[in-house]
Amino acid sequence: MHVVMAADYDQMSRKAAYVVAGRIILKPDCVLGLATGDTPKGLYRELVRLHRSGDIDFSGVSTFNLDEYIGLAPEDPDSYHRYMEEHFFRFVNVPPERRHLPDGDASDMAAECRRYEASIERAGGIDLQILGLGRDGHIGFNEPDVKFEKGTHCVRLDSSTIEANARFFSDAGKVPKRAVTMGIRTIMRARSLLLLASGPEKAEALRGAVLGPVTPELPASVLQLHPDATAIVDEAAARLLR
Ligand code: F6R
């Protein structure tokens, strides 16, 4: 995995935005894989800025998000649908019919997983997948001991992830226990991967992802096997890489 250093969170976000912007400039109809959580908020802010200045146009772009909680309707304020609306979609011109997130409120979740995989394939596959990093090394909601061969599937969240994500909910007891996520197979099929990591609490997981053995115990370690994976990381997250 190629590692790009950034001084801090803001610089990491700007560098990531330039990478994404470069893709869109070279391939205006590119397919982006998107993530939620705290890490990519700065990236979205920078992409909105580049869009407002006229440098990037999202009118030909398609997007597929990594994951969604099961049991939350798209309009639920805690859903990833709403997160994407609030942090990105409402500020840019990705056509609504080209924005895709798995439906965590579908009546048949197994069918929803198959539908989501098929729609990624129909779009021609993902050109550039953005990834955040869980403290336990998860990517998407692929928790430790994941099976690398899985496509989009439903998961039970680890207690550490439920605890970490409680900060996004008004009531910690409301964090869903299950989610639907692209699998490692889906992620590894993207033509390029861009992992972002910031802050000291990611240092341990980042060391495992970049330097550790490739193991399902640290799902992000699988990225070492991808032919075009880059991590943009700040000093605090990179503390254990030296
Ligand atoms: C979100 C996602 C998760 C997060 C990870 C890190 O779509 O897939 O894997 O990227 O939990 O979250 P933050 O960025 O909040 O530390």
Side-chain angles (χ1 to χ4, degrees):
M1 192 167 8
H2 181 52
V3 178
V4 173
M5 291 298 306
D8 55 22
Y9 176 79
D10 287 339
Q11 194 183 62
M12 176 199 78
S13 302
R14 284 195 301 278
K15 288 189 180 193
Y18 297 141
V19 172
V20 176
R23 279 300 162 118
I24 297 170
I25 290 166
L26 293 176
K27 188 179 180 195
D29 61 347
C30 70
V31 180
L32 298 178
L34 300 178
T36 56
D38 273 335
T39 311
K41 285 179 183 169
L43 162 65
Y44 294 137
R45 188 187 62 222
E46 291 300 318
L47 287 175
V48 168
R49 188 178 61 77
L50 291 169
H51 173 64
R52 284 189 174 146
S53 69
D55 288 344
I56 44 172
D57 172 17
F58 290 91
S59 62
V61 170
S62 302
T63 65
F64 286 88
N65 267 76
L66 278 167
D67 42 19
E68 177 57 287
Y69 289 113
I70 291 181
L72 297 190
E75 56 280 2
D76 191 297
D78 294 320
S79 72
Y80 286 168
H81 280 76
R82 271 291 283 277
Y83 168 105
M84 289 309 300
E85 201 52 44
E86 273 166 31
H87 294 283
F88 190 51
F89 289 144
R90 70 187 168 117
F91 302 114
V92 296
N93 62 337
V94 179
E97 67 280 9
R98 297 225 193 93
R99 307 168 184 175
H100 306 272
L101 287 96
D103 180 3
D105 206 26
S107 54
D108 181 344
M109 285 308 300
E112 172 58 10
C113 292
R114 288 192 298 273
R115 184 198 67 78
Y116 201 64
E117 283 286 317
S119 57
I120 294 173
E121 267 180 45
R122 246 193 334 271
I126 293 169
D127 288 302
L128 176 62
Q129 175 68 55
I130 310 297
L131 296 166
L133 179 64
R135 291 176 212 186
D136 59 1
H138 71 238
I139 45 175
F141 274 128
N142 295 284
E143 302 276 21
D145 295 326
V146 65
K147 298 216 172 3
F148 284 162
E149 63 273 20
K150 282 201 175 178
T152 300
H153 64 292
C154 297
V155 290
R156 190 159 288 285
L157 300 181
D158 282 1
S159 50
S160 64
T161 299
I162 293 174
E163 219 173 276
N165 287 5
R167 69 190 191 280
F168 297 116
F169 288 75
S170 50
D171 173 356
K174 276 175 56 187
V175 188
K177 308 280 182 290
R178 297 200 321 136
V180 50
T181 181
M182 282 184 198
I184 298 292
R185 191 188 67 202
T186 328
I187 293 169
M188 292 295 279
R189 278 187 180 163
R191 285 181 269 281
S192 305
L193 302 177
L194 187 61
L195 176 73
L196 304 181
S198 165
E201 66 284 0
K202 300 294 172 69
E204 196 70 55
L206 187 66
R207 177 174 57 181
V210 175
L211 302 174
V214 174
T215 163
E217 283 163 37
L218 201 139
S221 63
V222 76
L223 305 179
Q224 294 173 41
L225 303 179
H226 194 283
D228 184 12
T230 299
I232 304 186
V233 302
D234 70 8
E235 298 274 356
R239 188 171 50 92
L240 302 176
L241 293 186
R242 300 201 184 90

